């Protein structure tokens, strides 16, 4: 934010900002989301395939039972979450259209692989 | 706490609307996302090139080199050194940044974050403090991200300014290596929009290289004709 331009008032900017915030700002929580659980054990996801309801937002509880951290990574789900060793993390997913959504552990990508099936 | 976000925003907007103008910093920078990952560290290089026209502005480029580290699962800190063409020194300014993830990704209809920035010029007493609300919303493969900033500038000699700034991005998740986007920037005396592209290349051990390139075109006569921005970010653990 280094100085480069002189000052000039313009309300258009504020109106645009207000409109965007009104559209995006309705952050009501989704109550009663189904909860699914996933474990990381010996650098593997258990279960490696998880079926969830399509078109429904779910809460995925990931428990890393290993001593080392792992990263839940999925481009298809647009999620990237580091879970420290021995800790749990919550990942909100969906609502997803029916389909298969692969995920992997970025610290152990060759072994830690899985798939979410929305059906 | 989280349900108070709209109230916070209304307050922020009230302050923004009453300000005399908009941030007199170079509006084109980067659009921040609200997410923080524990243990993550980043080395970042940014360059912004300004194509001057009749405006007679003096700056041609700004470079930033930064190092960031997540200090918790919600908070990341970053420090920059800044070089611009106006200053005679190699390092013209320092910047500190704290980014806080307010909500879990996907928990609400939009994801929220908050960022505080402090910048100090070396050659004079000018300082700048900015508070930015970061909002991201995903709709199918599109992600809209908005950064709304309220900026306090101490220009020295008891001269103080309150400004505001808006950066927005609409990004399409085409491929991890290549994601096209449209970006909009509004700062003091600047309105610009233009295409951008970004992507991430992953390496072993969870390391990755993220790049961004954008060309932003001024929307009015007061705005720079073309601003090119480039970013390289190496993430590691």
């Amino acid at each position: 934010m280094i100085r480069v331009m002189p000052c000039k008032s313009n309300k258009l900017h504020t109106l645009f900002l207000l409109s965007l915030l009104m559209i995006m700002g309705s952050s009501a929580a989704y109550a009663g989301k189904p909860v699914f659980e996933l474990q990381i054990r010996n650098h593997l996801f258990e279960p490696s395939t998880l079926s969830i309801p399509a078109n429904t937002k779910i809460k995925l509880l990931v428990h890393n039972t290993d001593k080392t951290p792992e990263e839940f990574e999925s481009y298809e789900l647009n999620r990237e979450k580091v879970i420290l060793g021995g800790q749990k993390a919550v990942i909100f997913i969906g609502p997803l259209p029916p389909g298969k959504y692969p995920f992997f552990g970025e610290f152990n990508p060759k072994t830690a692989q899985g798939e979410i099936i929305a059906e | 706490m989280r349900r108070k976000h709209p109230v916070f925003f209304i307050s922020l907007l009230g302050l923004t609307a009453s300000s005399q103008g908009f941030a007199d910093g170079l509006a084109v920078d980067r659009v921040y996302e609200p997410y923080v990952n524990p243990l993550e560290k980043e080395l970042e290089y940014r360059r912004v090139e300004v194509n001057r026209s009749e405006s007679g502005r003096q700056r041609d480029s700004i470079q930033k080199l930064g190092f960031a580290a997540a200090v918790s699962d919600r908070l990341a800190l970053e420090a920059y050194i800044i070089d611009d063409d106006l200053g005679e020194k190699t390092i013209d300014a320092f910047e500190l940044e704290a980014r806080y993830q307010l909500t879990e990704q996907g928990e609400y209809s939009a994801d929220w974050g908050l960022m505080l920035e402090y910048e100090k010029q070396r050659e004079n007493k000018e300082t700048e403090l900015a508070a930015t609300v970061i909002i991201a919303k995903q709709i199918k493969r599109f992600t809209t991200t908005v950064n709304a900033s309220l900026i306090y500038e101490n220009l020295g000699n008891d001269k103080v300014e309150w400004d505001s700034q808006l950066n927005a991005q609409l990004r399409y998740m085409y491929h991890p290596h290549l994601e096209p986007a449209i970006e909009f920037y509004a700062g003091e005396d600047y309105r610009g929009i233009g295409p951008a592209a970004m992507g991430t290349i992953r390496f072993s051990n969870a390391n990755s290289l993220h790049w961004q390139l954008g060309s932003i075109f001024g929307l009015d006569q007061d705005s720079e004709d073309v601003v090119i921005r480039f970013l390289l970010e190496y993430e590691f653990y």
Side-chain angles (χ1 to χ4, degrees):
Chain A
M1 296 184 191
I2 294 175
R3 217 159 310 294
V4 72
M5 294 164 233
C7 181
K8 182 184 177 183
S9 181
N10 190 330
K11 299 297 179 193
L12 179 66
H13 174 189
T14 305
L15 287 173
F16 179 71
L17 174 60
L18 180 61
S19 305
L20 271 175
L21 292 176
M22 287 178 70
I23 292 167
M24 301 179 71
S26 56
S27 289
Y30 290 83
K33 288 179 277 287
V35 178
F36 292 81
E37 293 193 13
L38 201 60
Q39 281 201 347
I40 301 166
R41 189 184 302 275
N42 298 323
H43 311 307
L44 296 169
F45 285 108
E46 295 178 3
S48 59
T49 301
L50 195 63
S51 293
I52 66 169
N55 304 312
T56 305
K57 185 186 283 269
I58 68 137
K59 187 175 176 179
L60 182 63
L61 191 61
V62 185
H63 184 191
N64 182 6
T65 62
D66 291 337
K67 290 181 179 176
T68 54
E70 185 55 276
E71 183 171 31
F72 179 97
E73 168 88 34
S74 172
Y75 187 74
E76 288 74 11
L77 295 167
N78 190 25
R79 292 294 181 270
E80 182 180 342
K81 182 85 177 174
V82 171
I83 306 133
L84 301 178
Q87 303 220 348
K88 293 179 181 177
V90 173
I91 301 171
F92 294 91
I93 293 173
L96 297 173
K100 295 181 177 180
Y101 302 85
F103 60 85
F104 65 96
E106 201 175 5
F107 292 164
N108 301 278
K110 291 182 180 175
T111 58
Q113 296 186 15
E115 190 174 59
I116 285 179
I117 301 174
E119 53 191 8
Chain B
M1 161 85 181
R2 284 169 181 167
R3 289 184 184 278
K4 291 180 181 175
H5 292 161
V7 176
F8 172 75
F9 260 105
I10 290 167
S11 307
L12 175 67
L13 284 170
L15 287 169
T16 305
S18 64
S19 67
Q20 293 301 306
F22 302 108
D24 53 3
L26 181 57
V28 178
D29 194 356
R30 77 173 291 178
V31 180
Y32 285 88
E33 293 191 332
Y35 315 115
V36 172
N37 249 333
L39 306 179
E40 194 170 74
K41 300 176 185 67
E42 294 171 357
L43 270 176
E44 179 184 347
Y45 172 75
R46 287 187 224 174
R47 187 179 182 94
V48 177
E49 294 282 343
V50 179
N51 184 359
R52 293 179 298 173
S53 57
E54 306 87 25
S55 61
R57 287 167 186 146
Q58 297 172 355
R59 176 173 291 110
D60 288 316
S61 69
I62 299 171
Q63 299 180 84
K64 279 186 174 184
L65 186 63
F67 173 74
V71 295
S72 76
D73 60 344
R74 293 282 176 125
L75 179 66
L77 303 176
E78 185 157 9
Y80 300 92
I81 52 175
I82 302 169
D83 171 43
D84 68 81
D85 288 349
L86 283 181
E88 294 179 355
K89 300 184 178 187
T90 305
I91 298 172
D92 297 299
F94 300 100
E95 185 177 324
L96 298 173
E97 180 184 288
R99 189 159 43 89
Y100 190 79
Q101 181 176 337
L102 288 169
T103 63
E104 282 295 334
Q105 187 174 10
E107 183 177 7
Y108 299 94
S109 60
D111 306 325
W112 298 75
L114 188 64
M115 186 168 69
L116 294 174
E117 296 165 282
Y118 172 79
E119 183 179 317
K120 172 81 174 71
Q121 298 287 324
R122 283 186 75 193
E123 291 184 349
N124 51 45
K125 294 180 179 178
E126 293 182 18
T127 57
E128 185 175 288
L129 188 64
T132 301
V133 176
I134 307 170
I135 316 159
K137 182 174 179 64
Q138 184 187 355
I139 300 175
K140 296 186 176 177
R141 294 182 76 86
F142 288 94
T143 299
T144 305
T145 310
V146 175
N147 296 176
S149 303
L150 182 64
I151 303 163
Y152 169 84
E153 294 172 285
N154 187 336
L155 306 175
N157 300 323
D158 297 327
K159 191 178 176 189
V160 166
E161 274 186 15
W162 285 94
D163 298 315
S164 62
Q165 186 167 308
L166 176 73
N167 300 348
Q169 179 190 80
L170 177 65
R171 176 169 55 92
Y172 179 69
M173 293 178 59
Y174 172 68
H175 188 277
H177 295 173
L178 179 63
E179 295 183 330
I182 296 173
E183 295 182 343
F184 172 80
Y185 295 89
E188 180 183 312
D189 213 14
Y190 181 85
R191 307 287 179 275
I193 192 167
M198 54 211 65
T200 302
I201 301 161
R202 301 206 173 275
F203 306 116
S204 58
N205 300 323
N207 298 343
S208 63
L209 183 67
H210 178 69
W211 63 273
Q212 296 184 4
L213 181 63
S215 53
I216 310 302
F217 300 91
L219 288 173
D220 53 34
Q221 286 193 333
D222 294 326
S223 303
E224 310 285 356
D225 286 349
V226 184
V227 178
I228 306 291
R229 74 174 194 90
F230 174 68
L231 178 150
L232 267 183
E233 190 175 73
Y234 183 67
E235 291 184 2
F236 59 102
Y237 289 88

